[in-house]
Amino acid sequence: MAASVMPPQGSAVRADGGWRLTGRWNTASGVDQAEWVLLASWAPADGDPTDGSPADGSPADEAREHRIFAVRRAEVKVLHTWHPVGLRGTGSNSVEADVLVPDHLSFTLRDLARVQPHAARCHTVPFPLVAALIFAAPVLGAAEGALRTWWDVQTERMRPDGGTAAQQHVLARASAHIQSARLLLERAAQRADHAPVTPVLVAENQRDVSVAVELCGSAADELFRTAGLRALDEGDALQRRWRDITAARTHRTLDFGSAAAGYAGALLVARTAVGAR
């Protein structure tokens, strides 16, 4: 399943038994391999018969809602527009659609944040608890791959006494950062699977994931910087992983500033609630 749900794009209007969805959506990651695509538009809220999708791309008033639609991959046209400096493998091409989507294949963004008691665990946690993990896991894998590639090259030219102090320092620091990132992400995944869900827990997961990505990024930067001329070749494996990590760090779901603000806010709310009791 591919998705292009942030920000809402295209247009959605009420039709018989569902929604008429038309327009173009950018960055539908994985669409070339997908069987379904999730597409989002501003849509009239229930009971509002007017058209959705204002011209400026934002809700015109409170009668609009961020609605997501599940569309079969065969029903959209894929435009091969994805030519980035990194993350080329995600195939985040644009798509165009003009389809009728039945009601049972549509939901709102609020539905993702609404827990469903007595359902499977994946439906009893809010989406923000796990959203960043989806993007952080491949960053960790790329960082581990970058470290292996860097080490393989260094051992080819390393002295029998264990290499220079510079090589030793890069190896120790980068490996510690990457292993620390793995511990943070494993802890976040463990919370998502088993811990009682609270606003503070959600904020802790977002904090830990963003820090893990920063650790991977700093490790990749140092590995690339010290890799030598070989890494400057476009086909070099270390450079590719460095580009992937650098590109992934631009995703707003992984932004440390937003995570830090959310964490501080959650703690303040929790403290206020305790004081009120």
Side-chain angles (χ1 to χ4, degrees):
M1 181 177 291
S4 180
V5 298
M6 295 292 288
Q9 299 168 77
S11 173
V13 296
R14 268 295 183 186
D16 292 340
W19 301 84
R20 172 59 63 178
L21 188 66
T22 57
R24 173 171 170 163
W25 287 259
N26 297 319
T27 60
S29 297
V31 69
D32 289 331
Q33 291 78 36
E35 296 179 359
W36 291 82
V37 188
L38 297 180
L39 304 175
S41 290
W42 289 116
D46 288 342
D48 179 10
T50 59
D51 194 334
S53 185
D56 63 358
S58 60
D61 52 46
E62 293 183 357
R64 302 290 186 265
E65 59 187 356
H66 187 156
R67 180 167 285 276
I68 301 170
F69 306 87
V71 180
R72 292 186 185 276
R73 161 67 175 79
E75 294 183 286
V76 304
K77 179 182 180 181
V78 178
L79 308 175
H80 292 281
T81 56
W82 186 244
H83 308 290
V85 67
L87 296 179
R88 295 173 184 173
T90 67
S92 302
N93 291 302
S94 301
V95 300
E96 290 181 347
D98 182 2
V99 294
L100 181 65
V101 182
D103 277 325
H104 71 274
L105 292 179
S106 174
F107 57 93
T108 67
L109 186 66
R110 286 195 305 271
D111 293 332
L112 281 179
R114 187 179 299 121
V115 301
Q116 300 179 27
H118 313 301
R121 174 70 181 185
C122 62
H123 298 299
T124 59
V125 298
F127 183 62
L129 179 66
V130 298
L133 274 168
I134 299 170
F135 300 97
V139 173
L140 175 65
E144 291 176 339
L147 179 60
R148 287 194 302 269
T149 300
W150 181 90
W151 180 238
D152 287 344
V153 173
Q154 297 303 312
T155 54
E156 293 175 2
R157 57 194 186 195
M158 186 173 285
R159 298 197 313 252
D161 61 0
T164 66
Q167 290 172 314
Q168 295 165 0
H169 291 179
V170 172
L171 173 65
R173 185 180 295 109
S175 60
H177 282 183
I178 294 169
Q179 290 179 23
S180 297
R182 173 171 282 279
L183 291 173
L184 285 170
L185 294 184
E186 288 178 346
R187 181 183 179 191
Q190 182 74 9
R191 288 196 198 105
D193 283 341
H194 303 292
V197 179
T198 66
V200 171
L201 183 81
V202 173
E204 286 178 342
N205 259 24
Q206 293 171 325
R207 174 204 65 191
D208 287 356
V209 169
S210 66
V211 170
V213 169
E214 286 200 338
L215 288 170
C216 289
S218 65
D221 286 345
E222 187 163 20
L223 293 170
F224 178 70
R225 180 178 58 82
T226 59
L229 287 175
R230 182 184 304 194
L232 298 181
D233 185 82
E234 186 178 6
D236 182 74
L238 174 57
Q239 184 197 130
R240 176 171 60 82
R241 292 177 172 117
W242 175 77
R243 285 190 282 106
D244 286 344
I245 294 167
T246 302
R249 293 176 70 186
T250 67
H251 200 288
R252 65 179 182 177
T253 303
L254 303 175
D255 179 62
F256 175 74
S258 299
Y263 178 62
L267 287 183
L268 287 172
V269 170
R271 181 175 182 178
T272 301
V274 171
R277 291 199 295 268

